[in-house]
Amino acid sequence: MNTEQTLYARSESKCELCGASEDLAVYEVPPNSTHSPEDTLLACRTCTDQLEDPEKINVHHWHCLNESMWSQVPAVQVVAWRMLTRLSGEGWPQDLLDMLYLDDETLAWAKQTGEGAFSEEAVKHIDSNGALLEAGDNVTLVKDLNVKGANFTAKRGTVVRGISLVADNPEHIEGRVNGQQIVILTKFVKKSNPK
């Protein structure tokens, strides 16, 4: 059997990442693929496109890793680890990463493309109480803020819903107050408990 036939047999003709059964092809796991079944996997076009082009990533598609990360196939484990690491800022992927166990050799392979190398220095947005803020969170202002250019004061206690994070500045978030999209310093907000 050639590699492709082996992968079809191993995966029961399904994408080894998301379980799709259409548009399947051999995906060589970088960087040192020898085209053997050990360092390749069977993946659908959706998974392959998103693996190869970070601009196309649909975060929700990768909830499939909740199941496929438990595969006994090292190539699948490596891709699952890399994708979860890439998406760890979303929250739920970090929870899965915390559960995922890779032996030393497989983890070294997973890290060869540099995925996760910068995760310690990743920009983290922290509120006035030291809680980690994530995109979509609701926050409450802990101080009256004069909003420059909009001629109003955002009052202490105002709830700002569905914030977005400023990617390159850990001290700034954005949110809508009085119908205006404004930049707010993280030290002037506290994360709200979801109702």
Side-chain angles (χ1 to χ4, degrees), residues 2-48:
N2 67 20
T3 296
E4 189 169 2
Q5 291 167 329
T6 303
L7 294 180
Y8 269 93
R10 179 177 83 192
S11 69
E12 299 175 350
S13 301
K14 293 180 185 159
C15 173
E16 293 184 87
L17 298 170
C18 75
S21 56
E22 295 178 5
D23 283 333
L24 302 175
V26 175
Y27 177 76
E28 296 173 9
V29 181
N32 303 325
S33 181
T34 59
H35 314 294
S36 71
E38 288 73 42
D39 55 20
T40 56
L41 56 89
L42 198 63
C44 67
R45 182 180 306 278
T46 303
C47 286
T48 303

Side-chain angles (χ1 to χ4, degrees), residues 70-120:
W70 302 109
S71 170
Q72 296 302 304
V73 178
V76 176
Q77 294 174 350
V78 164
V79 172
W81 185 91
R82 288 177 182 168
M83 209 63 212
L84 290 171
T85 300
R86 193 178 297 174
L87 299 173
S88 61
E90 296 291 322
W92 63 264
Q94 186 60 53
D95 296 339
L96 295 182
L97 263 178
D98 292 342
M99 291 188 278
L100 182 60
Y101 171 78
L102 302 184
D103 62 47
D104 293 342
E105 187 177 326
T106 306
L107 184 58
W109 177 18
K111 290 181 175 180
Q112 280 182 325
T113 56
E115 209 73 62
F118 53 87
S119 61
E120 292 306 310

Side-chain angles (χ1 to χ4, degrees), residues 113-128:
T113 56
E115 209 73 62
F118 53 87
S119 61
E120 292 306 310
E121 296 90 45
V123 174
K124 289 185 172 72
H125 295 73
I126 307 295
D127 77 358
S128 60

